[in-house]
Structure formats: C-alpha cells, structure tokens
Amino acid sequence: QVQLVESGGGLVQAGGSLKLSCAASGRIFDISRIKLSTMGWYRQAPGKQREMVATISPGGSTNYRDSVKGRFTISRDNARNTVYLQMNSLKPEDTDVYYCNSFPNAPFPWGQGTQVTVSS
C-alpha cells in the first residue's frame, strides 16, 4: 500500500512563498505505479470539494488551474519518489489543506495533507 506524506505548509503573509513536498513510500510495485502516473496537487477548504491545483505527467508535462498559473510550479523527482509544489505570490484565497495523489483517479490513500494559511 502506498503512503503519501505531504509537508512544507505553514503560515505566510500575502506575497510570500512556500514549497510543498509529497513523499511516496510503499512496496516497490506500488512505487512503480507512482513513477508511471500523472501526479497532482489538490487542495480542499472545509465544507468544499477537493480541487486540482496542478498536475505533472511522468514525462514532465504540467497543467495548472487558472487561478495559480504563473505563481505555482509543480515538479517531480522520481529518484526520490517525491512531488513538489513551489508556490509564489501567495494570496489569502490560496489558504487550504493541500494534498497529493495520482490524477485524475486518485487511487492511492489520501495523506493527512499540509495546511497552507496566507494572511492578508
């Protein structure tokens, strides 16, 4: 079973930056599935549906939701089984719990997420 552990969140002022990490661990077979999967960062506010923020394919092609384009950058390091999200020019509306998983089907158990709070 794959375990996804998100980290790097925190409290930051508007305009600031954070870099999130998502480390995957588990059986070799499951880790191989991650290396071959498009991975995504998602976010969710209390009472709202989880939404995709950014995705990255196994080959490195990226996609972003419109509200974060030009501010967020997703990357992956397959050797370290880790996916990153560099977030710059943060806005209060970016405040959420951030998660990672495969995209679009999210077949792996969700991690605990990492809280990002942006103060105005």
Side-chain angles (χ1 to χ4, degrees):
Q1 189 71 295
V2 169
Q3 184 178 18
L4 299 170
V5 178
E6 300 91 351
S7 62
L11 173 63
V12 64
Q13 287 189 329
S17 298
L18 286 171
K19 186 173 184 177
L20 308 184
S21 298
C22 170
S25 61
R27 298 176 302 178
I28 292 177
F29 172 76
D30 292 324
I31 295 299
S32 297
R33 291 173 61 198
I34 288 183
K35 293 182 190 295
L36 295 174
S37 297
T38 292
M39 294 297 292
W41 279 98
Y42 302 75
R43 63 188 182 189
Q44 185 174 27
K48 292 190 177 181
Q49 207 165 11
R50 192 169 286 160
E51 62 184 22
M52 182 276 289
V53 176
T55 64
I56 184 166
S57 72
S61 296
T62 58
N63 189 38
Y64 301 90
R65 71 182 302 108
D66 287 346
S67 60
V68 308
K69 283 181 181 177
R71 300 189 297 121
F72 290 11
T73 303
I74 188 172
S75 60
R76 66 192 298 167
D77 183 342
N78 282 340
R80 297 179 185 273
N81 303 324
T82 303
V83 180
Y84 303 98
L85 186 67
Q86 176 68 47
M87 305 187 296
N88 298 329
S89 302
L90 282 161
K91 303 176 181 180
E93 51 264 44
D94 295 319
T95 295
D96 269 322
V97 181
Y98 285 70
Y99 304 85
C100 68
N101 211 313
S102 181
F103 180 86
N105 295 326
F108 306 117
W110 292 96
Q112 82 289 349
T114 187
Q115 175 71 50
V116 172
T117 303
V118 185
S119 63
S120 56

